[in-house]
Amino acid sequence: MSQRKARTVKPVAREARQVPMRDFSQSLPMALLRAREAVMRQFRPSLRQHGLTEQQWRILRALAAVDAIEVTELARVAFLLGPSLSRILRDLEARGLIQREADARDLRRGVLSISTKGLKLIAQVAPNSEAIYASIARRFGARKLAALHKMLDELERSMGSDVAFGGDTDE
Amino acid sequence: MSQRKARTVKPVAREARQVPMRDFSQSLPMALLRAREAVMRQFRPSLRQHGLTEQQWRILRALAAVDAIEVTELARVAFLLGPSLSRILRDLEARGLIQREADARDLRRGVLSISTKGLKLIAQVAPNSEAIYASIARRFGARKLAALHKMLDELERSMGSDVAFGGDTDE
DNA sequence: CGCAAAAACTTAACATGTTAATCATTCGCC
DNA sequence: GGCGAATGATTAACATGTTAAGTTTTTGCG
């Protein structure tokens, strides 16, 4: 037991593990992740039945709300990074769910719109999706839901669009 | 202008696009995603400087808080799916940041612990990370932050561990 | 004992997240 | 007009999310 080199790896002793960090349970990103996952777990099966991922669904919904939209603007609205959006658009276009053409005034810009087929798919998924949302609002409470939305919005605003703390650059 | 087949794809007319869905701005998953991203944007650069991803950091923190832990339990605590965890553990072990051995009583189970090297890395990152967290708490308000945590926890609980609404199975 | 079912991981396969690099087009300016 | 910088979008490369399938070891039980 007092050998200098143990045959099996031994955990570092508790006294040596004292690390200057708050507990995991107080991690804000973790709390947000857990809450979001709990909500998405309700929606995913329904979307999956229709062959859609969460992100694809976001894009279709965003397109259904407008006449046409540019790629960059869609990325902003659907909250997706450019590279992810590029890949998904390629797929959705191949499936005939969306249409795309170049902006005549600026050939760099792509203009997107939803297709009739895409609209039909939305019409199929929407009722179920709305029912799930209603169920969530009922269980959690519409009042509290509104309050939560407000706080999340405030949190986002208070972070600003920049990074607030540089810290030890160290190199 | 009255040709039956336009040479360029035309957006579906507005009247035909009326879809039975609430607006994007009221999407709870979207609000949670945006808030989380706003927060994570503060932490990512610091983690990145030390060659860590968000998930790797979660694992190291979780390991630092205990003597040793099984893979499945770590997945639960760090909120990662098994396959993701498997990959990350392989990488962290190769980098010497964690240790692993098999449970002598049940060879299926892997027992993990953080290494001295891992602890040193945590000690390097933690101060910056804590400073960022403090900055967030200060900007958003400690009171509001606690209230938000409470609501997120309640939301998660109200979703339950199951899916509450079956919906149109349809096939 | 022996063997089918369950449990704990891991691997596989494909979609998305994330940053950096690249490509094509347009803009600003001389 | 022409050319370097800026812009819009895509591609590349690697990490993780997500579901299904596979592997190894245990369990439960006839």
Side-chain angles (χ1 to χ4, degrees):
Chain A
M1 270 308 193
S2 58
Q3 49 195 340
R4 287 183 68 79
K5 276 189 175 258
R7 288 210 319 283
T8 58
V9 285
K10 292 213 171 181
V12 177
R14 185 171 56 77
E15 314 84 54
R17 274 190 292 97
Q18 295 313 324
V19 154
M21 284 226 75
R22 70 212 124 81
D23 189 74
F24 232 33
S25 61
Q26 290 179 46
S27 165
L28 181 56
M30 181 67 96
L32 290 165
L33 178 62
R34 295 178 66 94
R36 177 167 204 276
E37 180 52 31
V39 172
M40 280 313 303
R41 186 165 47 239
Q42 312 295 314
F43 289 98
R44 251 191 284 272
S46 169
L47 292 178
R48 188 171 172 66
Q49 278 192 334
H50 295 277
L52 289 174
T53 66
E54 171 190 345
Q55 293 83 355
Q56 292 166 353
W57 178 238
R58 287 216 300 273
I59 290 175
L60 291 183
R61 277 185 66 179
L63 287 179
V66 298
D67 241 32
I69 189 172
E70 290 174 15
V71 173
T72 298
E73 175 65 3
L74 177 59
R76 196 187 62 74
V77 172
F79 207 66
L80 291 168
L81 294 179
S84 293
L85 185 54
S86 272
R87 284 178 306 220
I88 301 173
L89 290 179
R90 189 210 307 143
D91 178 52
L92 292 180
E93 190 179 11
R95 288 160 70 179
L97 297 174
I98 68 172
Q99 301 166 336
R100 115 198 276 166
E101 65 177 309
D103 182 332
R105 260 79 69 202
D106 185 344
L107 296 180
R108 290 172 305 183
R109 299 167 191 271
V111 180
L112 307 164
S113 56
I114 195 163
S115 69
T116 303
K117 186 177 175 187
L119 282 173
K120 283 182 187 164
L121 181 54
I122 290 185
Q124 281 192 326
V125 179
N128 217 324
S129 186
E130 285 299 290
I132 293 171
Y133 179 78
S135 165
I136 291 174
R138 180 161 33 75
R139 280 188 282 168
F140 185 58
R143 195 75 51 102
K144 274 163 66 175
L145 189 54
L148 176 56
H149 266 290
K150 183 164 178 290
M151 295 194 82
L152 292 172
D153 192 60
E154 288 175 8
L155 175 61
E156 195 185 344
R157 290 179 198 282
S158 73
M159 295 297 95
S161 54
D162 58 328
V163 175
F165 192 85
D168 326 304
T169 43
D170 199 51
E171 57 233 69
Chain B
M1 272 306 195
S2 57
Q3 50 194 341
R4 289 184 65 80
K5 276 188 174 259
R7 289 209 320 281
T8 57
V9 285
K10 293 216 170 178
V12 177
R14 186 171 56 77
E15 314 84 52
R17 273 190 293 98
Q18 295 313 322
V19 153
M21 284 227 73
R22 72 214 123 81
D23 188 75
F24 232 34
S25 61
Q26 291 178 45
S27 164
L28 181 57
M30 181 68 95
L32 290 165
L33 179 62
R34 295 178 66 96
R36 178 168 203 277
E37 180 53 32
V39 172
M40 280 313 302
R41 187 166 43 243
Q42 312 295 315
F43 289 99
R44 250 191 287 272
S46 169
L47 292 178
R48 187 171 172 66
Q49 278 192 334
H50 295 276
L52 290 174
T53 66
E54 172 191 344
Q55 292 83 354
Q56 292 166 352
W57 178 237
R58 287 216 300 274
I59 291 175
L60 291 184
R61 276 184 68 181
L63 286 179
V66 298
D67 240 30
I69 189 173
E70 289 173 18
V71 174
T72 299
E73 175 65 3
L74 178 59
R76 195 186 64 74
V77 172
F79 208 66
L80 291 168
L81 293 179
S84 294
L85 185 54
S86 272
R87 282 179 306 220
I88 301 174
L89 290 179
R90 188 212 306 143
D91 178 53
L92 293 180
E93 190 179 9
R95 288 161 70 180
L97 298 174
I98 67 172
Q99 302 166 332
R100 116 199 273 170
E101 64 177 311
D103 181 331
R105 261 78 68 202
D106 185 344
L107 296 180
R108 292 173 305 183
R109 298 169 192 271
V111 179
L112 308 165
S113 57
I114 196 163
S115 69
T116 303
K117 186 176 175 188
L119 282 173
K120 283 182 186 163
L121 181 53
I122 289 186
Q124 280 192 327
V125 179
N128 218 323
S129 186
E130 285 299 290
I132 294 170
Y133 179 78
S135 165
I136 292 174
R138 180 162 33 75
R139 280 187 282 168
F140 185 59
R143 197 74 51 102
K144 274 163 67 175
L145 189 54
L148 177 56
H149 266 292
K150 183 164 178 290
M151 295 194 81
L152 292 173
D153 193 59
E154 287 175 9
L155 175 61
E156 195 186 343
R157 291 178 198 283
S158 73
M159 295 296 95
S161 53
D162 59 328
V163 176
F165 193 84
D168 324 303
T169 42
D170 201 51
E171 56 232 72

